[in-house]
Amino acid sequence: VIVPDETIHAWLGYKNRYIDIYDAIRKKVKPAPYKKVYLTRTKLKNIYDVNEEFFEDFYRRRGFEIVSTETLSIRDQVSIMAGADEVVTTCGTLSHMVLFSKNNVKLTILNRDKDYISVPQAIVNEARKVNYYFVDALLAILPSKHVNGCVCLYPTKYFEEYLKSNKIEY
């Protein structure tokens, strides 16, 4: 059992040793063979995100393994993150999974709220030295916020610009 010192203040910053606990856990598992991973929320019960299947299909056709973390043990979740070179997911607790990745993983976060950039995620990204992109993927047809409401994920013009700038075929 490792009991870490307080190393993060979610809205303020972190101490240098913040990432140590995640490194210690990652080093105890064998990395999965998946180099490109899409973390999905579609298997969650009572989920209010609509059209995430579009992004699952889009990334599956580009060689990404589609992963529903809630169906896996924590060991398997860590293993998948430890082996990944590139991760795509929506903004939220799933995007925090990069804490178990190696440094410099490429992370694309599909934003589910046009007015929200996650400060805790920015701290995670900096601590893990993530190469990250926040991409607006929200079709705002109903009122919604990051934590509640119906969210319609959509390949917005910002998503198309992200693909073009990263030389990813649409």
Side-chain angles (χ1 to χ4, degrees), residues 51 111-112 136-142 144 150-156:
N51 199 39
N111 270 346
R112 300 165 41 233
D136 179 5
L138 172 72
L139 176 60
I141 54 176
L142 295 171
S144 67
C150 181
V151 173
C152 182
L153 296 168
Y154 187 78
T156 63

Side-chain angles (χ1 to χ4, degrees), residues 13-89:
Y14 65 96
K15 295 178 183 175
N16 289 337
R17 300 210 46 186
Y18 166 55
I19 210 75
D20 291 355
I21 186 76
Y22 301 100
D23 287 342
I25 293 168
R26 187 186 68 244
K27 289 174 184 173
K28 295 287 185 185
V29 300
K30 180 181 178 186
Y34 315 122
K35 296 301 175 196
K36 300 191 304 185
V37 175
Y38 182 93
L39 303 177
T40 184
R41 297 165 45 91
T42 59
K43 301 290 187 281
L44 290 172
K45 294 180 183 177
N46 299 323
I47 195 67
Y48 299 103
D49 289 4
V50 177
N51 199 39
E52 187 173 7
E53 294 84 357
F54 168 86
F55 291 97
E56 285 181 358
D57 183 57
F58 179 88
Y59 283 102
R60 182 182 294 111
R61 287 184 284 124
R62 283 152 185 82
F64 282 71
E65 184 71 20
I66 309 304
V67 176
S68 299
T69 57
E70 69 280 2
T71 65
L72 303 172
S73 70
I74 187 67
R75 177 178 291 280
D76 289 343
Q77 292 177 45
V78 172
S79 174
I80 286 168
M81 297 309 295
D85 294 329
E86 183 173 1
V87 177
V88 178
T89 189

Side-chain angles (χ1 to χ4, degrees), residues 158-170:
Y158 306 108
F159 180 71
E160 290 181 31
E161 289 171 8
Y162 159 78
L163 296 177
K164 185 176 179 181
S165 68
N166 283 275
K167 296 177 177 50
I168 301 169
E169 185 180 336
Y170 185 37

